[in-house]
Every structure is written in C-alpha cells, then in structure tokens.
Amino acid sequence: MSNVSFLIYVLMMFFFFTVPSASSKGDHRVPSKHVALFVFGDSVFDPGNNNFRNISNDSKANFWPYGETFFKFPTGRYTDGRILPDFLSMYLRIPLWKPYLAPGKHNLLHGANFASGGAAVLPEYSVEGPVSFSEQLSYFEDVAGLLKKQIGDEEAKEMLKRAVYLSSLGGIDILFSDVYINGTQVQRQELINMVIGNITQGIKKIYAIGGRKFAFQNVGPIGCMPVVRQILLLESVSSDECYEDLLNLATLHNDALAKAIKELETQLPGFKYLIYDYYNLLLDRIKNPSEYGFKEGLIGCCGNGTFRGYSCGVEPYELCSEPSEYVWFDGGHPTEHAYAQLAKLVWKGGQKATKPFNMKQLFELD
C-alpha cells in the first residue's frame, strides 16, 4: 500500500433515527434577546453525533482518554474536553451542545449541532458513516419545520433570521483526495472549485430557509497535523517541518472561500458573515507554542509514533500528563486549552482573527 493510500485509510478511520423533537415544556415564545446557533462541520465541531451512527469505534471518540479533563468521561468530542462550539455556547449563555442525533428531546430554540467527524462536502468523499454536509443540511431543514410547528411561522422566521450558522468544512475533502500528492495545479484548482461550489450551494439553501448570519471557520494548517507528519514525512525530515503541499492546498481553499463568500454578500440581500482565520491562528501556535503558554506545538498529547500521530486510546499508545501544555490532543484535533484560546478570539477578537465582524458583533447585528 502506498503512503498516500495508507494516509487516506488512516484518516478515514480517524475522523469518522429519529428526528429529535423540540422540548414541549413552558412558553415557547422567543424572547426579544433570544440567541440561537446552528453548527455544521466535521470532527473539530462534532459534539458526539458519530456516537449515534452505525460506524466502527475507530471512527468515534467515545473512549478514554477523550473527554478526560473537563467532562471526566468520553462524550464523542475529539479532544480532551470542550470544543470551540462549546465555548461559544458558554459565551452565549446557552447549554453545552447535545449531539443532534442523540435520542430524546432537544431544546431546538437554542439551535442544534449537526457536525460529524469525517463529514465531507463532496459526495465522492462522503464515505458511509459520518453525516455528510448534504445530510446535515437535510437535518437543518427538518429542524426549521419543527420550529414552525412549535412556535409558529412568524416567530420561527424571526428566530432563524437572528440565528448564526457556523461551519467548518472542506478539510476532509482535501485530505481524502490525493491531488496534493499527484495532482497538477489545474486538478488542485478543480478540486477547490468543486468544494467551494458545494459549500456556497449549501449556504444558499440555509439562506432560502431563513438564515442571514453566517460564520465560517476556514481550513486549518492540515499539513502540520501529527497524523499527516507521521505518515507523509516518514520521520525523514526535521522534526519541526510541516507538509507544504497540504498547507498550500488549504491556503488555496481559504482564498477561494473568502472570494466566494464576498460574492454571496453581493447576491443575497441581508447576508452577513464573518470568516474566522483558523489556519493562521492555529499555525502560529504550532510554530510558536511558548508565546501562547504551550510547551509543544507539533506532537500530539495522545497517540502512537514519534509525533503521536494516530491510535489515541488504542493500545499501545502514549498519553501526556498535562494536555493544556499541548496544541494538539491527538493526531488531528487541538486540545481544549487551544480551543479555549481560539474561541475567545472568535467571540471578541479583532480583524486579524475574524473579519469583518467577530461572533459577538455578528449576533448583535439587526
């Protein structure tokens, strides 16, 4: 098996009903300052939806040591504690996320989190198991219908208009393709164009249902993920090097995303947005960990191999004693401590972190 094929196999293992009803208790009228957040994306935003999918345990994070620091038990989040949407919910003073696919009643008045580890944008990379972007959109459409029944058409329309729609998309499509290894520049651009095209179509669907405020997390520095470095760099280069072709492809995607979202602003009346620069904010912590209170930026806290790139929680594996000293918890996901820093910047950071608004400002917009 080639290194590329092996990487794609490991990533597929790594990143990977009933429609829940809204709560029926109390007065369901939406208060004037009510806030709701709807979350779409992959494993960096997944609060445990994969726990409720018919997929192998290798594609879940429902075992120790995931969840060890905050929850004290594995929740399905791909880190040691809380993820970025959890911190945003705390800033918004709404409950921490319950996976949308979890059985039982849900208070959908605060929104819902549809994200799923391994979720792709393109159908060809939407492997069986994770909740693809198109399926997440379908779930959101169901929720919008439930809200109309619960609080009435006009109240639901206002709620959906005031809500923010947060997404983290595209990274899985880049990782599961092989154009960063064997592709020409034309093929790389074609991949990005298809991914961005599908994302914008999804945003237009949310807009048609009633969404007006959108928050985009761009693709992170995936060439620096311990799992990528472990497999593609083959430990044959300096220990602080990242895989440049993947970094370049992520940058290509992020530039195209910014351009496409700017175009949507001109096409869709009332469309407001922010783009949070996950790529550069995380890369700076990877390259300069001590400036942000970390001791290690390139090696995972949990995993196997020189860079602890994979097999976190699967014997034999190593586990650091203090996750807060690491940027990465496992081979592809930041620690709770890193997420906490990033969430603070998303919430009230300046233009270098998130523009043209931060999340607090976006929620406050009429």
Side-chain angles (χ1 to χ4, degrees):
M1 182 182 292
S2 70
N3 293 335
V4 177
S5 299
F6 181 58
L7 174 63
I8 292 173
Y9 170 77
V10 171
L11 291 170
M12 290 177 69
M13 293 298 100
F14 185 77
F15 289 106
F16 296 29
F17 131 40
T18 58
V19 178
S21 61
S23 174
S24 59
K25 297 180 180 180
D27 184 351
H28 296 312
R29 290 176 296 175
V30 180
S32 59
K33 294 186 179 180
H34 178 85
V35 293
L37 180 65
F38 292 94
V39 184
F40 305 82
D42 50 31
S43 55
V44 294
F45 284 175
D46 185 355
N49 280 310
N50 275 12
N51 290 352
F52 308 98
R53 301 288 282 190
N54 185 24
I55 52 180
S56 70
N57 286 336
D58 291 338
S59 300
K60 302 177 182 180
N62 61 348
F63 48 88
W64 192 262
Y66 291 106
E68 65 166 340
T69 56
F70 180 79
F71 299 100
K72 307 302 181 184
F73 64 91
T75 65
R77 291 162 171 82
Y78 293 77
T79 188
D80 57 303
R82 291 160 290 186
I83 53 178
L84 187 139
D86 289 321
F87 288 103
L88 293 179
S89 71
M90 294 170 68
Y91 285 124
L92 291 167
R93 299 181 181 179
I94 62 177
L96 292 184
W97 294 104
K98 180 179 181 180
Y100 175 73
L101 295 182
K105 293 184 179 295
H106 291 235
N107 183 357
L108 299 174
L109 296 176
H110 293 304
N113 189 329
F114 310 104
S116 170
V121 174
L122 299 178
E124 54 263 47
Y125 301 122
S126 297
V127 295
E128 184 177 355
V131 188
S132 67
F133 182 42
S134 62
E135 193 175 357
Q136 293 177 36
L137 290 170
S138 179
Y139 284 139
F140 170 66
E141 196 168 10
D142 293 338
V143 168
L146 287 171
L147 288 169
K148 290 178 181 178
K149 292 180 181 179
Q150 181 184 359
I151 61 178
D153 286 354
E154 288 303 312
E155 288 280 9
K157 181 179 178 180
E158 280 302 307
M159 175 189 162
L160 294 172
K161 180 180 177 181
R162 292 196 301 266
V164 169
Y165 302 84
L166 172 67
S167 61
S168 169
L169 298 162
I172 294 297
D173 301 87
I174 294 173
L175 286 166
F176 282 10
S177 74
D178 63 358
V179 298
Y180 55 87
I181 301 290
N182 300 317
T184 65
Q185 187 60 30
V186 170
Q187 290 172 320
R188 295 179 182 190
Q189 189 63 62
E190 286 176 348
L191 170 68
I192 297 304
N193 290 345
M194 289 190 294
V195 172
I196 298 299
N198 280 31
I199 291 174
T200 54
Q201 287 303 311
I203 298 307
K204 288 179 179 178
K205 184 172 184 178
I206 296 172
Y207 179 91
I209 294 171
R212 292 296 182 269
K213 301 178 184 181
F214 297 84
F216 301 92
Q217 173 175 294
N218 64 17
V219 170
I222 50 182
C224 296
M225 290 164 47
V227 63
V228 170
R229 299 175 69 241
Q230 186 84 30
I231 296 171
L232 290 183
L233 296 182
L234 302 176
E235 306 175 24
S236 62
V237 296
S238 66
S239 60
D240 62 350
E241 186 174 339
C242 296
Y243 194 78
E244 290 296 330
D245 284 345
L246 268 176
L247 293 181
N248 293 338
L249 198 52
T251 299
L252 191 66
H253 171 279
N254 294 341
D255 290 344
L257 176 68
K259 181 179 179 181
I261 299 309
K262 191 68 177 175
E263 290 176 357
L264 284 179
E265 184 182 31
T266 67
Q267 298 169 3
L268 305 177
F271 179 90
K272 302 294 182 184
Y273 74 95
L274 68 81
I275 297 179
Y276 145 53
D277 193 3
Y278 181 55
Y279 179 96
N280 282 305
L281 293 174
L282 187 59
L283 184 62
D284 202 21
R285 285 159 175 76
I286 292 168
K287 296 294 189 180
N288 307 289
S290 62
E291 293 183 13
Y292 300 94
F294 299 100
K295 291 185 178 179
E296 178 55 61
L298 283 162
I299 298 174
C301 164
C302 176
N304 195 5
T306 301
F307 304 133
R308 294 180 188 154
Y310 45 81
S311 300
C312 176
V314 180
E315 296 289 354
Y317 71 95
E318 298 178 60
L319 178 65
C320 70
S321 60
E322 185 48 69
S324 66
E325 295 178 351
Y326 287 70
V327 173
W328 297 104
F329 181 65
D330 63 9
H333 307 94
T335 57
E336 179 188 80
H337 187 53
Y339 280 133
Q341 291 186 6
L342 298 174
K344 185 176 181 180
L345 292 170
V346 175
W347 179 249
K348 63 178 183 180
Q351 294 284 304
K352 289 185 177 180
T354 170
K355 59 185 180 181
F357 306 104
N358 57 39
M359 186 70 84
K360 184 174 185 293
Q361 292 167 336
L362 190 63
F363 267 105
E364 291 171 348
L365 288 176
D366 293 330

